[in-house]
Amino acid sequence: MARRGLAAVAGGAAVAAALPWLLDDFLVSLALSCLMYVALATSWAMFSGATRYVSLGTSAFFGLGAYVSAWTVAAAPWPVVIAGGALIAAAFAGLAGLAILHLRGTYFAVLTFGMSELTRHAVTYGEKQYAGTVGRVLTVAPSSRTVYLTVLAIAVAAVGVAVVVRGSRFGLALIGIGADEQRAQTLGVPTRRVKVAGFALSAAFAGAAGAAMAVRWTYIDPTAVFNPFIGLQTVLIAIVGGPLSLTGPLLAALVFSLLAEFLRLQFPYAYLIALGILLIVAVLYLPQGLAGLWQTRARAERPTAAR
Amino acid sequence: MMRVLAIALVAALVLVGASLDTSAQSDAPPIKIGYAISRTGPFAPGAQATQEPSYILWAEQVNAAGGLNVKGQKRKIELVSYDDRSEVETIVRTFEKLMVTDKVDLILPPWGSTANFAVAPLADKHGYPVLAPTALSMKLVDMKLPNFFSMLPQPYVLMAAAADMLAANGVKTVAVIYMDDVFGLENIAAFEPAVKAKGIEIVDKKSYPLGIKDLSPVLRAIKDKNPDAFVGLTYPPDTILASKQSKEIGFNPKVFFTAVGTAFPLYKQVMGADSDGVSGIGSWSVKTSPAAKAYFDAHVKRFQKEPDRWASAHCWAGLQILQAAIEKVGMDRKAIREYIASNEHATIIGPVRFKGSEIQFPGTVGQWVGGDFEVVWPANRATAKLVVPKPAWK
Amino acid sequence: MTTPALAARSVVVRFGGLTAVDGVDLDVDDRTVVGIIGPNGAGKTTFFNALSGLVTPASGRLFVGGADLTGKPAHVFARAGIARTFQTPRVFADMTVAESVRFGLEFAGRRRRAERASLAEVPAILDFLGLADSAALPARAVTPARQRLLEIGMALATRPRILLLDEVAAGLTHAEVEKVARLVHRCRDELGLGVVWIEHAVAVLLDAVERVLVLHQGRKLAEGIPSAVARDPLVIEAYLGDGAAEARP
Amino acid sequence: MRLWIELVVSGLITGGIYALVAMGLNLQYGLMRILNVSHGEFLMLGAYLTYWAYLVMHLSPFVFLPPLLVGLFVVGLVVHRLCFRRLAETTPEVEAFEARSLLVGFGLMFVVQNVALLVWGADLRGYQYLAGTVSIAGVGFTANRLVAFAAALVLGLGLIAVLRATLLGRAVRAMMQSPTGALLVGIDVRRLHPAVFGVGLALAGAAGALLSMVFEISPSMGEPYTVTALIVIALGGFGSVTGSLLGGLLLGVVEAIGMHLTSPSLKMVLSYGVFMLVLITRPNGLFVR
């Protein structure tokens, strides 16, 4: 399974990598948005889907990545900037995880939301106090093609890592924690370590995505990059896709981004109403998410059964 | 599976792109002018108060008159507009669509500094001139983008005018609050040296975050220091909040100045007679020129609401400049850009010209006088006489 | 004297103001079956939670194979060879029976205990329990009795030294209970495990264990061979308030 | 001393509204595990309807309050029937239900917010009602803030009284502790749940009506109140309506004093910091013994 999955990821990535040479700027941008949400939703589902620790904190990691980019892009090579965004986000998630991963369910969801708002305001305050500004202008920026390929690489890495994790003991531990945390612990899973590591790993992708996307906007401020909607939309996509499946969030990221864009451009005044209704209908009538549509297949693909 | 997905993605992308290709055919092809602006999200109140109505009104007026005169041919305007959801990434993507996919003839800017920061370099890259009525940041001007023109005077101009006005009216002490964002920070940075140069002492200086719901603790502390003037470098909700709460605690400085939103008709609606004597950023009134009056009346007729007395008219002036440029040099964007950059333009806010990205327009101060918002500073722009001290809250 | 496989010394567990376990000692050696009985609320399950590391005792010490594990998280206990089941089966509902068993092997059961004759393969464990024909079913779909067996299977997959069984016979028919008792003995004899078995239905237990410990209101009331404990007046009195009929073997 | 009185009273006034917003949300969450993130949207709806009634029909917000409460109650019944009933039937497992009801909430948020946009436009709006200043012990307060506070308190205490004094109310409270208890007391959950959901929306609407007298309104005004409600609920404890009342008042006072002692810029850092700290260290709320 893991090998087949990775091969499929490579195939998809090859096609996506050719897009900047085939399509115009707008369609490439649209593809970029899709890829961003592929990266965010897949990495989210890798941790939150498996463990059922529903995190609304993706925007915190995304925003931190964006700020790392703003701080360093003029001085450091591009790969270092991206890696920096990923590392800072992961380190932050690790520390935050140590403090909050003992609470489950709604508590965790609300806490992660609070964490991302707290981060936003703390960055605002810190920037104002120590840099005398809240927003930052990024005049040195790599070409949009570079940004696209970078986000593609992040998305591919997110999917690839999700596939590998799914087939690994680490992934099994995450699923065990989601099924019954105490039980998993009594079977020898070091739950705390696994949770913190999983949370940090998933945050790394959001941080990298934030670092890559920020340079597109010339100017970033906390309101834009810590926008809670980034986190909410990620959760929404992952759950609509089917948080326990691999392909579900991926597919939902594409469907959702394209659908939202299509509705926005076709019905400029009422599209969010349509989107809201579609979302409600999807939640009510697809209890397993989009992945439920090919449920039987997904079952056969379960890694532990296949091995 | 993944390969199928990837192909499906490409197909869907192309489909979305193709389905949105809105090309209308007619004998005299219309001029396609595109923009994305906030109809939803946090930027929407600002965008809908000061910007999009003017775009719509302008296109309607031009079309009612038969269209724009382009090289002897009357061509109508076709607006291609989208909601930008107040999201920077969506703004970038939509403007790419407008310029690259839709290949519109011209674009109109989005609302607010953040959005213009994202759009200005993009428009410059594709060679589209932009006349931005709601971008207020020296950082943007300092990028020296040839195709970017700011229709608003920058903070150092605005704040210098405010400081002049304060000094001329015998203000010795001032308390100031400002918002924690690019608007507040750039303005406070300009305000401090401006008042210090005039020998005015800042007795209190406090910043506050977006979305604040209670300023009374701050205002009470300020009241205790009894400054001659109060200056709020505020946005509409906080402008009104600061006013209401100053009234609540009976804080009556000689000059009460608040920034964005003071010039909104909403201000008078919620403050009633208390609006009298409140000053703020504003640059025009119906008395400024007959053209301004005509704009005002047309706006009220079309939208059943008044335009604000600051950026709305700058927005309209930008559209006037664009119109003049098209009728003078045709649809060549390079020529339009040159025309804008190198001429003086007659607009409803008076004659303006550009130096780099910056509009050459004096800083002004407005005030609610006798139930209307008037320009009161400097004297040569004034449409009414400045009232100092401000009458106490009723 | 050799070090016991599991030793609890004056273990105290408190919840807020309530003392659920109050100074209990217990030694368990390899290849023995120890029973713990006591009326409802005696602190049996809480004591198990302490023995498996799920709750940290307020005072007292826990030794596994001589090593002091007091205060360590539950997975350390699992890796040290303490396996347990839960009163209401806590199987991984969405996993198959085989996957559930594999889970234990992947974690605590991963380390080889060369000196033990433990079961190291999923099929071997399923065969041992007679669950082979359910291997591919989701855990949620098998009968409650089989879920109990699966619980034991998951525990065995950690390749333990000590097996803690929490009311594995509750609600079963007489014939099923007999089978469980045989299974417990096989764990002792074939796998060399030390077993601690909590049961509310005392009659079943007294027949199957070598030594029994009686808990009452968190304290150890009596300890000894079943026949002696069953005649202990203190024990009988404790059970009178809770259904004396059950207490007689 | 006068300053402190001012700060505390000012904080209490803000906190009263916080409490009212939080109580409705907490009622829904406590009883049904629906964390309705569109709560603020219904608050916004209440605000707009009140504004509209005032402007078009010249009705005082207080005259309009009873029909508004009834109206939003009915909206609540309909929303529950259309969305949450089916969800509860198809998703018996609590954690999954919570996650999915969160998504339904987002859907509702999109719908309600944009319906308001279509109807009223995006502009900031407001009106003048009881804008005069009242002096209490030498400290001035705008009449509408005092009145709004009083109304919030009356509604909040009224709700608590109903929950404590009536049989049905006590059953609701019992169920908020243990959902299975409903079956034992023989309560018809299929009727009770929509009703309580409706009450939650009605309370949100009432809060919106009161807020519209004090603050300007816009279609996107609701979200921050949802967030504040969450903070208050965390302070007072999930599922504890009385806790929400106290938590709201406490948060208002803490913010006012904190803002005075530090800087308004730190206000948000402060609120979220307190919120995180309380959740991490006392997940059941500050007022649980």
Side-chain angles (χ1 to χ4, degrees), chain A residues 52 102-104 106-107 110-111 113-115 117-118 121 125 128 232 239 272-273 279 283-285 287, chain D residues 29 82-83 86 93 95 98 100 103 106-107 110 114 227 238 265 268-269 272 275-276 279-280 283:
Chain A
R52 302 217 246 173
H102 62 288
L103 290 166
R104 286 193 72 94
T106 305
Y107 289 96
V110 171
L111 259 175
F113 183 83
M115 172 193 77
E117 289 296 288
L118 181 63
H121 293 293
Y125 188 75
K128 201 188 67 128
L232 302 184
I239 298 188
L272 279 174
I273 298 175
L279 174 63
V283 173
L284 290 186
Y285 292 93
Chain D
Y29 180 77
L82 288 179
C83 301
R86 190 189 152 83
E93 206 262 332
E95 267 188 22
E98 284 189 16
R100 287 150 55 70
L103 294 196
F106 286 130
F110 286 148
N114 288 282
V227 174
F238 284 88
S265 286
M268 295 310 229
V269 180
Y272 282 108
F275 162 68
M276 299 271 300
L279 259 189
I280 290 172

Side-chain angles (χ1 to χ4, degrees), chain B residues 68-243:
Chain B
L68 287 175
N69 190 351
V70 186
K71 307 230 152 116
Q73 197 183 18
K74 280 277 190 185
R75 291 176 65 183
K76 294 207 170 184
I77 293 175
E78 181 195 330
L79 287 182
V80 183
S81 68
Y82 302 112
D83 175 22
D84 68 22
R85 306 181 63 177
S86 305
E87 273 173 15
V88 191
E89 180 57 27
T90 308
I91 294 170
V92 170
R93 191 168 68 239
T94 313
F95 273 93
E96 278 176 338
K97 172 172 167 51
L98 288 167
M99 292 185 285
V100 180
T101 310
D102 297 350
K103 297 195 170 50
V104 295
D105 296 305
L106 288 167
I107 57 168
L108 299 176
W111 183 89
S113 303
T114 308
N116 276 289
F117 261 117
V119 169
L122 201 63
D124 194 58
K125 182 178 122 193
H126 292 287
Y128 281 80
V130 170
L131 292 146
T134 48
L136 199 72
S137 168
M138 267 319 272
K139 289 179 184 163
L140 192 45
V141 169
D142 286 342
M143 287 169 78
K144 300 198 190 324
L145 299 167
N147 281 294
F148 179 78
F149 302 97
S150 170
M151 290 302 298
L152 289 181
Q154 291 304 308
Y156 74 96
V157 181
L158 289 172
M159 291 299 110
D164 278 349
M165 183 272 277
L166 294 177
N169 287 284
V171 169
K172 297 274 177 267
T173 52
V174 59
V176 54
I177 64 169
Y178 62 99
M179 174 140 127
D180 283 331
D181 81 337
V182 67
F183 172 82
L185 285 165
E186 286 206 18
N187 275 294
I188 188 74
F191 183 73
E192 279 185 277
V195 290
K196 272 182 193 142
K198 298 280 173 193
I200 299 171
E201 187 199 351
I202 297 180
V203 293
D204 203 356
K205 184 181 99 173
K206 285 269 162 61
S207 62
Y208 66 89
L210 181 79
I212 192 144
K213 289 281 176 255
D214 186 5
L215 278 168
S216 61
V218 182
L219 293 169
R220 287 183 205 275
I222 288 178
K223 186 191 172 195
D224 287 345
K225 294 188 175 142
N226 196 25
D228 294 338
F230 170 80
V231 170
L233 303 170
T234 46
Y235 275 163
D238 346 318
T239 295
I240 293 170
L241 183 67
S243 307

